[in-house]
Amino acid sequence: MWKPACTFRSAAEPRAAAAAVTCLLVTGMLVFTVGQPGSADPAEPPAAAVVAGGKVFSAYFRKLTRERRETRGPSRRSAPPQPMELLGPEDVFIAVKSTVRYHRQRLELLLDTWISRNMQQTYVFTDGEDEMLRKRMGAHLINTNCSAAHNRQALSCKMALEYNAFINSGKKWFCHVDDDNYLNVGSLLKLLSQYSHTQDIYIGRPSLERPIEAMERLSATEMKQVRFWFATGGAGFCLSQGLALKMKPWASDGSFMTTAEHIHLPDDCTVGYIVEALLGVSLIRSALFHSHLENLGLVSDAQSQVTLSYSTTENSRNTVNLKGPLSINEDPTRFRSVHCLLYPDTPWCPRSL
């Protein structure tokens, strides 16, 4: 501990020369001891010494405080963390997985809400042609000609094409969501700006509480058990360009489907397998991604999340609790209410906002 000591003497009276005024700076406290040299009992300090010493101490302490403040720099609490790189919507390739039977029920809701603000960087990967959607989306509606079945092969077929389209785009980030996700692109950019697109980044939210286990085929007769985490596609996930390029041997030009068959797992699990088990890159978990597999009623501050989801049936409803401008009957998924809170200038939002 640094304990500077200083002694001040008053020149006002010859007798006061014998009186010593000593200060100790100990953990930020200023302690005065005044007395005769060698005396065990302190004496009353001369008034001039007290006044002069007080002025000196005040000036010294102000200077010390100012220097320490300049050395430390601004407080962490007052300065938000600086982004690693500045991102715009044009830096992200957003892939939405859908199927023909959900075009009216799900996709039109997304087109009315978040996709309407982000059409240029969003592509819908579906399994059939749709004239109405084609008029609204143009080349951003991609008919994969994959099967409409909800099985491993069909899902992996679409993911393979999503991956290839991203690589060909040259964009910095690949983000996948499902057609029952609301994507807050502002929150997404804020999250991704904390990382560099050249780093190995795999970010999302697992749906399981433990790593998934799979059997990896080594040969015709030999199998090996592998364990790894994966981000569920139902909540959405993102890959940096740097990591996506390293995935090429197992993901590009049809290799993704081969890899999926190799471990007998669907699309989002296969992404986790390539990233964690083969490349040794760990999933970065983010609580800002949400799927219908969780209790969405527990989500707070819905407008700040990266993704939201919903599940509505005749007997149950799983959505975020939001006191928005639209009633539950008008907006059963709560997506429109979230959108109006984020973008109150949307033409169909109530004017009271």
Side-chain angles (χ1 to χ4, degrees):
M1 178 65 70
W2 178 50
K3 300 180 180 179
C6 56
T7 302
F8 297 83
R9 298 180 184 275
S10 172
E13 296 179 18
R15 293 181 181 179
V21 181
T22 305
C23 72
L24 290 176
L25 182 61
V26 184
T27 64
M29 288 186 61
L30 223 51
V31 180
F32 295 87
T33 58
V34 183
Q36 300 293 333
S39 172
D41 297 323
E44 289 292 326
V50 173
V51 173
K55 290 182 179 179
V56 172
F57 285 132
S58 297
Y60 172 74
F61 204 79
R62 282 197 302 270
K63 182 175 182 295
L64 178 63
T65 303
R66 184 171 60 251
E67 289 176 350
R68 292 174 70 182
R69 214 169 33 231
E70 292 171 354
T71 303
R72 281 200 307 256
S75 170
R76 287 187 178 181
R77 292 182 180 179
S78 61
Q82 294 297 313
M84 182 166 287
E85 65 177 357
L86 297 176
L87 295 175
E90 67 279 1
D91 295 318
V92 183
F93 183 97
I94 303 171
V96 181
K97 181 183 69 183
S98 187
T99 185
V100 168
R101 69 190 181 101
Y102 287 144
H103 283 184
R104 300 292 169 267
Q105 181 182 346
R106 295 182 179 181
L107 267 185
E108 289 190 355
L109 173 62
L110 303 191
L111 286 167
D112 287 345
T113 56
W114 71 266
I115 292 182
S116 68
R117 298 265 175 168
N118 302 278
M119 184 69 77
Q120 291 306 308
Q121 56 269 10
T122 303
Y123 295 82
V124 172
F125 291 78
T126 188
D127 43 45
E129 194 54 53
D130 187 317
E131 285 189 22
M132 290 181 62
L133 283 181
R134 180 66 66 191
K135 289 180 180 178
R136 294 187 70 175
M137 300 197 69
H140 289 256
L141 178 68
I142 298 176
N143 182 1
T144 63
N145 291 312
C146 298
S147 169
H150 194 75
N151 57 31
R152 181 176 70 247
Q153 292 83 0
L155 296 174
S156 297
C157 175
K158 291 174 185 174
M159 183 65 75
L161 293 172
E162 290 180 31
Y163 173 84
N164 287 336
F166 164 67
I167 293 297
N168 293 333
S169 75
K171 291 183 180 289
K172 295 180 179 180
W173 291 92
F174 167 75
C175 292
H176 163 96
V177 294
D178 280 353
D179 56 9
D180 60 351
N181 287 132
Y182 184 99
L183 177 62
N184 184 339
V185 175
S187 292
L188 175 68
L189 294 176
K190 184 178 179 181
L191 174 66
L192 297 182
S193 69
Q194 298 176 31
Y195 309 96
S196 169
H197 73 280
T198 61
Q199 295 176 331
D200 296 338
I201 305 297
Y202 172 40
I203 188 166
R205 183 174 191 152
S207 59
L208 304 176
E209 296 180 355
R210 61 186 182 282
I212 192 172
E213 296 181 356
M215 298 305 296
E216 180 183 44
R217 185 177 294 279
L218 301 178
S219 66
T221 58
E222 190 178 3
M223 303 286 284
K224 173 189 174 184
Q225 187 181 64
V226 290
R227 301 174 74 249
F228 56 91
W229 290 98
F230 74 94
T232 177
F237 63 83
C238 296
L239 296 165
S240 63
Q241 183 191 64
L243 178 57
L245 290 173
K246 292 181 180 179
M247 295 170 61
K248 271 190 165 185
W250 304 278
S252 66
D253 301 325
S255 299
F256 188 89
M257 292 188 68
T258 303
T259 305
E261 287 302 307
H262 181 67
I263 56 170
H264 297 281
L265 288 173
D267 54 340
D268 49 2
C269 299
T270 301
V271 172
Y273 168 71
I274 296 172
V275 172
E276 285 222 352
L278 298 180
L279 291 175
V281 176
S282 297
L283 168 67
I284 298 174
R285 303 185 189 194
S286 173
L288 297 175
F289 292 80
H290 302 279
S291 79
H292 67 274
L293 299 175
E294 63 184 280
N295 185 351
L296 294 167
L298 300 178
V299 176
S300 60
D301 195 15
Q303 302 98 293
S304 299
Q305 307 306 305
V306 171
T307 63
L308 298 171
S309 187
Y310 67 91
S311 175
T312 56
T313 63
E314 292 182 1
N315 301 322
S316 65
R317 184 176 65 89
N318 183 22
T319 66
V320 293
N321 289 325
L322 189 70
K323 293 182 179 179
L326 300 169
S327 69
I328 291 177
N329 289 333
E330 295 172 306
D331 177 28
T333 68
R334 310 311 287 153
F335 279 12
R336 292 183 182 275
S337 295
V338 170
H339 191 76
C340 287
L341 290 173
L342 291 171
Y343 308 103
D345 60 334
T346 302
W348 49 260
C349 289
R351 293 297 90 193
S352 59
L353 287 180

